[in-house]
Amino acid sequence: AHSIWSNNGFLSPTNVDPFLGGGAIDFAGGGVVHITGGTIALIATLLLGPRRGRFYDEQRQPLEIPKPMPGHSMALQLLGTMILWFGWFGFNGGSALLLPNQSGYGRTAAIAAVSTSIAGATGGVSSL
């Protein structure tokens, strides 16, 4: 986080000598947040292991066929997805207002909103 968000970080574009001449612009903090979350999720997965009783029985012997995991409520999945997607429009578009020394706030916010819509739609279609 310090490397990108600090003015003195080697990846910060506001550094006197930024990395590769331009640094990294971390719009809305997405890069740092997702790298941190992904690293923690990987460590937690390695520590916790698979779900109990799904791949092994009570004597820790592997099952020939894993126990099925029944699906959850499709209505609640859709509701959660819509709430997140709607929130991302305000968050990503609103983050354009925090960019320093930028005159085209509206254009940047519009690009962020369109990118948010395309990303969400692509994720939804690819999950089918």
Side-chain angles (χ1 to χ4, degrees), residues 48-60:
L48 295 175
R51 293 181 183 218
R52 290 184 187 166
R54 174 135 194 241
F55 299 103
Y56 299 95
D57 62 13
E58 291 78 23
Q59 289 79 28
R60 302 252 184 223

Side-chain angles (χ1 to χ4, degrees), residues 48-94:
L48 295 175
R51 293 181 183 218
R52 290 184 187 166
R54 174 135 194 241
F55 299 103
Y56 299 95
D57 62 13
E58 291 78 23
Q59 289 79 28
R60 302 252 184 223
Q61 298 299 318
L63 298 172
E64 290 183 26
I65 300 173
K67 289 184 182 176
M69 286 183 51
H72 303 286
S73 170
M74 290 296 286
L76 290 178
Q77 288 179 7
L78 179 64
L79 177 64
T81 302
M82 291 295 124
I83 290 170
L84 279 173
W85 200 359
F86 182 74
W88 283 327
F89 281 108
F91 179 76
N92 292 345

Side-chain angles (χ1 to χ4, degrees), residues 3-110:
S3 302
I4 294 177
W5 291 345
S6 169
N7 289 337
N8 299 325
F10 78 98
L11 291 175
S12 175
T14 59
N15 190 337
V16 177
D17 184 25
F19 184 66
L20 296 178
I25 298 174
D26 189 21
F27 190 76
V32 172
V33 169
H34 286 93
I35 287 173
T36 304
T39 303
I40 291 171
L42 177 64
I43 292 169
T45 301
L46 294 173
L47 290 174
L48 295 175
R51 293 181 183 218
R52 290 184 187 166
R54 174 135 194 241
F55 299 103
Y56 299 95
D57 62 13
E58 291 78 23
Q59 289 79 28
R60 302 252 184 223
Q61 298 299 318
L63 298 172
E64 290 183 26
I65 300 173
K67 289 184 182 176
M69 286 183 51
H72 303 286
S73 170
M74 290 296 286
L76 290 178
Q77 288 179 7
L78 179 64
L79 177 64
T81 302
M82 291 295 124
I83 290 170
L84 279 173
W85 200 359
F86 182 74
W88 283 327
F89 281 108
F91 179 76
N92 292 345
S95 294
L97 301 175
L98 299 176
L99 293 176
N101 303 325
Q102 174 121 0
S103 61
Y105 289 122
R107 184 174 187 274
T108 304

